[in-house]
Amino acid sequence: MKARVYVTLKPGVLDPQGKAIRKALTSLGFDGVEGVRQGKLIELELAETDPARARAAVKAMCEKLLANTVIETYAIEIDGQDAQGV
Amino acid sequence: MKARVYVTLKPGVLDPQGKAIRKALTSLGFDGVEGVRQGKLIELELAETDPARARAAVKAMCEKLLANTVIETYAIEIDGQDAQGV
C-alpha cells in the first residue's frame, strides 16, 4: 500500500528556501509570483494492507521522524484517498 | 491563485535520502516499510487568475527552474484541481 506525506512549514515560519526560489523565478522573468513555500513530499511503500492501520502507522512516523512538529505540519494521503492534515 | 508542484525523482534514479529515511524508520521500530522516496513540494501564490494560464506559467517554471527534468518528474495542481503530471 502506498502512502504520501506532505510536510510543510507552519504559517509564520520563515522559509528562506522558498524566498530564494521566488527571487530566482523573478530574475528568470516570471512575474506575478507573490509567494513561494517549499515543503517535502515523502512517498512510502508499506506492507500494511488496511488503510486505517496504514494511516495510523504513517501518523506515528510523522510524529517521530518525518516532520518536526514544532515548525512543520503534515498531511497524509493513503493510496489515492484524500489527504488528511493534523 | 494557488498552485502546488510535486517534484519527484524518476523511477530508477537512486534516492539516498529516501534510503536514509527508510533505515531510520526501521531502526525506530517501524516494520513493513518497503520503500521510501523523497520529493519536493513547492507551493506558489500567483497573481494570475486564469487556471489554464496559471498552469502554463507553472509548467514553464518547472522546466526552467523547479525540476531537473533529466532525473526528476513533476506534477502541477492548480487551486484544488487534480494534479497533472508530464
Side-chain angles (χ1 to χ4, degrees):
Chain A
M1 169 157 277
K2 273 187 193 299
R4 298 184 111 195
V5 177
Y6 307 101
V7 181
T8 47
L9 287 170
K10 288 185 179 172
V13 177
L14 286 180
D15 180 4
Q17 220 174 344
K19 260 198 177 153
I21 294 172
R22 186 189 168 181
K23 213 169 159 181
L25 285 173
T26 306
S27 74
L28 281 171
F30 293 105
D31 300 323
V33 180
E34 291 169 350
V36 180
R37 305 278 287 174
Q38 168 143 15
K40 280 178 286 184
L41 161 64
I42 300 159
E43 295 178 314
L44 301 158
E45 183 64 49
L46 304 169
E48 182 63 62
T49 52
D50 177 65
R53 286 171 60 182
R55 183 177 296 278
V58 174
K59 191 166 189 285
M61 292 176 202
C62 288
E63 295 286 340
K64 277 204 179 160
L65 181 76
L66 303 180
N68 174 354
T69 52
V70 177
I71 56 166
E72 291 171 331
T73 185
Y74 59 87
I76 299 167
E77 194 180 287
I78 301 286
D79 239 352
Q81 293 180 359
D82 273 351
Q84 283 175 23
V86 280
Chain B
M1 168 158 275
K2 274 188 192 298
R4 298 184 111 196
V5 177
Y6 307 102
V7 181
T8 48
L9 287 170
K10 288 185 179 173
V13 177
L14 286 179
D15 181 4
Q17 220 175 343
K19 259 195 178 154
I21 295 173
R22 186 189 168 180
K23 213 170 158 180
L25 285 173
T26 307
S27 75
L28 281 172
F30 293 105
D31 299 323
V33 180
E34 291 168 351
V36 180
R37 304 278 284 173
Q38 168 145 14
K40 281 178 286 184
L41 162 64
I42 299 158
E43 296 178 315
L44 301 158
E45 182 65 50
L46 304 169
E48 182 62 62
T49 52
D50 177 64
R53 285 170 62 181
R55 183 178 296 277
V58 174
K59 191 166 189 283
M61 292 175 202
C62 288
E63 295 286 338
K64 277 205 181 159
L65 181 77
L66 303 180
N68 174 355
T69 53
V70 177
I71 55 166
E72 292 171 331
T73 186
Y74 59 87
I76 299 166
E77 195 181 284
I78 302 286
D79 238 353
Q81 295 180 359
D82 273 352
Q84 283 176 24
V86 280

